[in-house]
Amino acid sequence: MSDCRYLTFALGKGRLARKTLELFEQIGITCEEMKDKDSRKLIFVNEELKLRFFLAKGPDVPTYVEYGAADIGVVGRDTILEESRNVYEVLDLGFGKCRMCVCGPREAGELLLHHERIRVASKYPNIAREYFYNKKHQTVDIIKLNGSVELGPLVKLSDVIVDIVETGGTLRENGLEVLEEICPLSARMIVNPVSMQMEKERVKDLIYRLRNQIL
Ligand code: PRP
């Protein structure tokens, strides 16, 4: 291990990173430095295993991995689909399960059936475009929002939204429903294509051990 280079991981900040580190601990990969909540450090190192970790905003994780600033990333499938980066998606980590859906008030279901030109608000304009234009062949106006997307239909900014549904609680509390399901989501491991070649053995070994742990 002593003469190999550092393998660098970019983890999506927050719950995803915490769950990832829990899973890594189960296969013997720890990073004590990262557990110090008061630390202002951005990069954490496990010298013994020659691993480096850093936390990034979810949508930036595929960017770091595509450019090789990180060899490996962990991020939600929603972000992978939205960002369309040149990375290999190698493993479903099995946590962070939720769904990407078209949601709105019940009446808006009619607008979806008749292919009307509707307004769609979303934090995920590329996923929304791909779904409506390429899958449903429906011309829509897409409005990008950065959060609290459920507000869209409530304040008549949009007819429907494309958003993540986990428990469905946010929709219920705001009188909205799932109208159509786009795809299932969960946390995924992504790898830089060059790292996949150059560090084949280490990456393959990691995938193998994680897969066995997840089963
Ligand atoms: C996400 C998503 C929904 C909500 C779904 O929002 O955009 O609003 O969670 O979860 P639920 O089905 O369990 O209610 P998030 O909390 O990430 O905040 P945001 O609205 O700022 O994106």
Side-chain angles (χ1 to χ4, degrees), residues 130-146:
E130 164 69 23
Y131 181 69
F132 278 100
Y133 280 73
N134 297 339
K135 199 155 176 210
K136 280 180 63 93
H137 305 292
Q138 180 171 3
T139 303
V140 297
D141 294 318
I142 293 165
I143 303 169
K144 163 92 188 307
L145 289 179
N146 293 298

Side-chain angles (χ1 to χ4, degrees), residues 121-183:
S122 186
K123 230 160 73 163
Y124 302 92
N126 294 327
I127 294 176
R129 192 169 299 110
E130 164 69 23
Y131 181 69
F132 278 100
Y133 280 73
N134 297 339
K135 199 155 176 210
K136 280 180 63 93
H137 305 292
Q138 180 171 3
T139 303
V140 297
D141 294 318
I142 293 165
I143 303 169
K144 163 92 188 307
L145 289 179
N146 293 298
S148 302
V149 178
E150 290 82 0
L151 273 172
L154 299 181
V155 300
K156 307 277 186 259
L157 172 72
S158 68
D159 298 291
V160 297
I161 60 173
V162 164
D163 200 19
I164 290 172
V165 179
E166 193 181 350
T167 61
T170 311
L171 291 179
R172 267 194 305 280
E173 288 194 27
N174 292 289
L176 304 173
E177 305 184 352
V178 170
L179 302 172
E180 290 178 357
E181 184 166 329
I182 299 179
C183 62

